[in-house]
């Protein structure tokens, strides 16, 4: 089902922000075969249009705030892979304590990319408390003990990071100030999440057997 | 005296019967299941097991709220690990949506031990006791009860059944005041 508010407001571009699709495109271009990507909510609708990879898990339907814990579980179970979680700011706000869980777990192979548009986008674009409070997610990550934390609101800065800084040890949190996205039904992932999860599990199991 | 023996067992009289859950049996149950990661926010019963759990060849993952537990365990399962969740019924109430998603959308057969506060105190006015079983039934959770050490064998059989049928399962730990 289309969301008329989103479609009508699709061209609304806040200044000093990054195109969500371009930001994700840069990630997809830089990925390697030792990286698991967990997309969620809005990114789970965009990521399958950019990437088709056996190490993708488009976590939709999800529980809001669940993507980071799920990614952490993957990271702890498979320290031989890097896990990149694509989270919305609304989802992170709903489960902010998970950042402490990540640090406490001592996982170093997890990166959280917060797509901060200040909105609950999938419900029609209502503003989050985080935008109203002008929350800086990178500084929260710093205070929590993340080894790498950075905010970007400029595509060139993000491009430079994506090209040069990916090897910095984790856990990492990267906050991207992004535009809202026009949602269309075509962007919804067609694969059921339980099928995707089992496919990922099988792939990871096979990779362990082969190594 | 060993460290294990220093942890007091839980002695509870309920309807004229003495129920005992010892840390030794609980830890033996975890080891027998082949658990690689315990994801937990303990209550006062399971909390007494912390020092013994920390000595085992598994990782104890301390979470901040119970809603993290279910997807975290699902991620561990996807990566090939064997997680066990430990929380109290109050945490089960809190984490309902995450449980729903993992059980019925992701369809991941994670297993949890859930402490039922005041279950062994029939006269308790504790609302956490009152709603424990109705909530377990509302989520249609396949479950068994642990009242005493000998029930860990039943729990283990249930765990294997749930794994074989790829169904989420829980063991309810009958507690006194938690």
């Amino acid at each position: 089902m289309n969301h008329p508010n989103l479609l009508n407001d699709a061209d609304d571009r806040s200044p000093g922000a990054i195109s969500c699709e371009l930001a994700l495109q840069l990630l997809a271009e830089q990925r390697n075969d030792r990286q698991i990507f967990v997309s969620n909510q809005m990114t789970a609708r965009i990521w399958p249009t950019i990437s088709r990879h056996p190490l993708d898990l488009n976590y939709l339907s999800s529980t809001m705030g669940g993507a980071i814990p799920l990614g952490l579980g993957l990271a702890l179970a498979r320290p031989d892979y890097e896990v990149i979680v694509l989270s919305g700011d609304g989802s992170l706000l709903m489960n902010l304590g998970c950042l402490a869980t990540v640090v406490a777990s001592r996982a170093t192979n997890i990166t959280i990319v917060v797509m901060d548009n200040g909105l609950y986008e999938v419900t029609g674009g209502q503003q989050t408390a985080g935008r109203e409070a002008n929350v800086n997610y990178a500084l929260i990550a710093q205070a929590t003990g993340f080894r790498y934390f950075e905010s970007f609101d400029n595509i060139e800065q993000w491009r430079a990071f994506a090209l040069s800084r990916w090897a910095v040890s984790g856990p990492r949190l990267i906050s991207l100030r992004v535009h809202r996205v026009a949602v269309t039904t075509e962007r919804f992932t067609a694969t059921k999440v339980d099928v995707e999860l089992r496919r990922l599990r099988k792939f990871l199991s096979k990779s362990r057997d082969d190594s | 005296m060993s460290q294990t023996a220093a942890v007091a067992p839980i002695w509870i009289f309920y309807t004229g019967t003495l129920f005992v859950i010892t840390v030794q049996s609980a830890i033996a149950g975890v080891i027998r299941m082949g658990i690689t990661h315990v994801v937990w926010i303990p209550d006062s019963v399971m909390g007494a097991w912390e020092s013994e759990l920390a000595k085992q060849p598994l990782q104890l993952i301390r979470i901040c709220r119970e809603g993290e537990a279910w997807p975290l365990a699902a991620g561990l399962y996807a990566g090939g690990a064997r997680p066990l969740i430990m929380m109290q019924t109050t945490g089960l109430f809190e984490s309902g949506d995450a449980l729903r998603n993992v059980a019925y959308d992701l369809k991941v057969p994670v297993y949890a031990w859930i402490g039922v506060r005041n279950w062994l105190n029939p006269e308790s006015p504790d609302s956490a006791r009152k709603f424990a079983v109705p909530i377990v039934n509302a989520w249609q959770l396949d479950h068994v009860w642990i009242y005493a050490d000998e029930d860990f064998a039943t729990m283990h059989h249930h765990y294997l059944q749930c794994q074989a049928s790829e169904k989420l399962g829980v063991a309810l730990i009958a507690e006194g005041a938690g």
Side-chain angles (χ1 to χ4, degrees):
Chain A
M1 178 180 174
N2 287 340
H3 297 273
N5 288 345
L6 285 179
L7 293 172
N8 291 341
D9 295 343
D11 293 328
D12 175 23
R13 295 284 190 259
S14 29
I18 302 170
S19 155
C20 185
E21 286 140 313
L22 187 51
L24 295 176
Q25 183 69 46
L26 283 171
L27 273 177
E29 288 170 3
Q30 298 300 319
R31 84 170 301 163
N32 62 53
D33 288 340
R34 303 305 293 180
Q35 293 177 326
I36 302 168
F37 274 78
V38 179
S39 64
N40 182 233
Q41 301 283 42
M42 179 55 69
T43 60
R45 291 162 171 132
I46 300 172
W47 190 252
T49 69
I50 297 171
S51 169
R52 292 283 181 184
H53 194 285
L55 292 174
D56 286 344
L57 177 62
N58 296 295
Y59 185 20
L60 183 75
S61 299
S62 69
T63 180
M64 272 194 80
I68 295 171
L70 191 145
L72 176 60
L74 278 164
L76 290 169
R78 295 306 300 259
D80 50 335
Y81 283 85
E82 171 76 21
V83 177
I84 295 98
V85 181
L86 309 174
S87 174
D89 54 319
S91 291
L92 176 57
L93 284 168
M94 202 169 277
N95 199 3
L96 210 47
C98 72
L99 298 182
T101 303
V102 168
V103 174
S105 76
R106 304 184 190 281
T108 59
N109 57 329
I110 183 168
T111 299
I112 299 163
V113 181
V114 182
M115 311 299 285
D116 175 15
N117 59 11
L119 302 169
Y120 294 111
E121 203 151 42
V122 296
T123 56
Q126 301 82 16
Q127 187 168 283
T128 64
R131 179 54 54 86
E132 185 80 18
N134 200 24
V135 170
N136 186 322
Y137 300 101
L139 289 181
I140 291 176
Q142 178 186 22
T144 308
F146 274 65
R147 289 192 186 172
Y148 184 85
F149 42 90
E150 190 64 82
S151 297
F152 298 100
D153 61 5
N154 175 289
I155 191 63
E156 292 310 319
Q157 292 173 349
W158 173 232
R159 191 191 308 274
F161 169 84
L163 288 171
S164 66
R165 300 295 299 279
W166 201 238
V168 177
S169 180
R172 313 181 192 95
L173 186 141
I174 298 157
S175 179
L176 302 179
R177 189 75 171 255
V178 297
H179 300 299
R180 68 189 309 177
V181 177
V183 177
T184 64
T185 50
E186 290 76 30
R187 282 189 166 133
F188 281 60
T189 178
T191 309
K192 292 182 68 178
V193 67
D194 59 316
V195 174
E196 279 204 15
L197 187 137
R198 273 163 177 73
R199 188 171 60 201
L200 173 62
R201 185 170 191 262
K202 188 174 178 182
F203 185 88
L204 289 172
S205 175
K206 186 172 185 306
S207 77
R208 196 196 303 266
D209 293 341
D210 291 346
S211 63
Chain B
M1 178 181 287
S2 71
Q3 289 292 319
T4 301
V7 179
I10 309 302
W11 302 80
I12 300 286
F13 281 99
Y14 177 54
T15 60
T17 306
L18 174 65
F19 293 106
V20 182
I21 296 176
T22 61
V23 62
Q24 293 92 338
S25 292
I27 299 297
V30 172
I31 297 302
R32 189 179 178 203
M33 293 162 79
I35 296 302
T36 58
H37 300 76
V38 171
V39 183
W40 84 338
I41 298 186
D43 60 11
S44 58
V45 171
M46 290 181 277
W49 305 341
E50 183 173 34
S51 61
E52 286 304 314
L53 277 171
K55 296 175 188 170
Q56 307 308 318
L58 53 81
Q59 183 174 359
L60 194 56
I61 303 173
R62 296 174 173 87
I63 55 175
C64 298
R65 62 177 277 257
E66 289 84 351
E68 295 176 57
W70 304 101
L72 206 163
L76 286 163
Y77 171 83
R82 302 188 77 169
L84 174 66
I85 294 170
M86 294 187 190
M87 64 173 66
Q88 198 179 56
T89 39
T90 49
L92 177 71
F93 304 158
E94 188 279 336
S95 63
D97 186 64
L99 165 62
R100 172 203 58 78
N101 174 248
V102 168
Y104 298 110
D105 294 334
L106 296 178
K107 298 176 181 150
V108 172
V110 298
Y111 201 81
W113 290 5
I114 297 174
V116 184
R117 188 175 71 195
N118 277 316
W119 187 251
L120 299 177
N121 300 323
E123 305 304 320
S124 170
D126 186 355
S127 60
R129 181 186 193 280
K130 177 180 178 182
F131 289 104
V133 170
I135 291 294
V136 167
N137 289 335
W139 288 118
Q140 300 174 16
L141 300 180
D142 201 325
H143 64 279
V144 293
W145 282 90
I146 299 174
Y147 280 85
D149 281 354
E150 52 266 34
D151 295 327
F152 282 103
T154 304
M155 181 281 303
H156 187 76
H157 181 65
H158 182 244
Y159 170 70
L160 294 179
Q161 279 185 326
C162 289
Q163 294 295 296
S165 58
E166 299 196 329
K167 184 193 291 186
L168 187 146
V170 301
L172 302 174
I173 298 176
E175 298 179 351

